[in-house]
Amino acid sequence: KGNQRAIILKHLIYSKTITSMEAFSKYRITRLSGVIIALRVHYNIDMKMVNPNKHQRKIGMNPYGIYTYRGRK
């Protein structure tokens, strides 16, 4: 768990944002929300929901969140 936090924090610091799909495909982390909750104790991390457009919904894309790193508390 601590290693997952370090991996996600490093990603956020350098890339600024991450989605659950990125966390899984790059790092095999399946529950990004749990990692983000732990990181929010010391870091400001926002989440924005993205709603797919009509075409994306038609092919099965669901709403998803984008987490954004805003620095230390």
Side-chain angles (χ1 to χ4, degrees):
K1 291 256 182 189
N3 192 36
Q4 289 183 349
R5 281 181 254 170
I7 289 167
I8 296 301
L9 179 60
K10 184 176 180 181
H11 178 97
L12 285 169
I13 288 170
Y14 290 101
S15 300
K16 300 298 180 205
T17 64
I18 194 164
T19 65
S20 289
M21 184 70 84
E22 283 179 293
F24 181 73
S25 64
K26 291 182 179 181
Y27 311 114
R28 297 294 185 237
I29 294 173
T30 56
R31 195 167 170 274
L32 179 61
S33 61
V35 176
I36 295 294
I37 287 169
L39 288 174
R40 281 181 170 160
V41 172
H42 300 289
Y43 302 94
N44 292 311
I45 301 171
D46 297 335
M47 196 267 284
K48 177 185 175 188
M49 287 301 295
V50 176
N51 291 309
N53 64 34
K54 186 177 179 180
H55 171 72
Q56 292 169 326
R57 284 193 307 272
K58 195 172 187 177
I59 62 171
M61 190 176 215
N62 294 314
Y64 61 95
I66 299 177
Y67 295 95
T68 304
Y69 177 73
R70 302 284 185 209
R72 291 188 67 86
K73 286 191 173 181

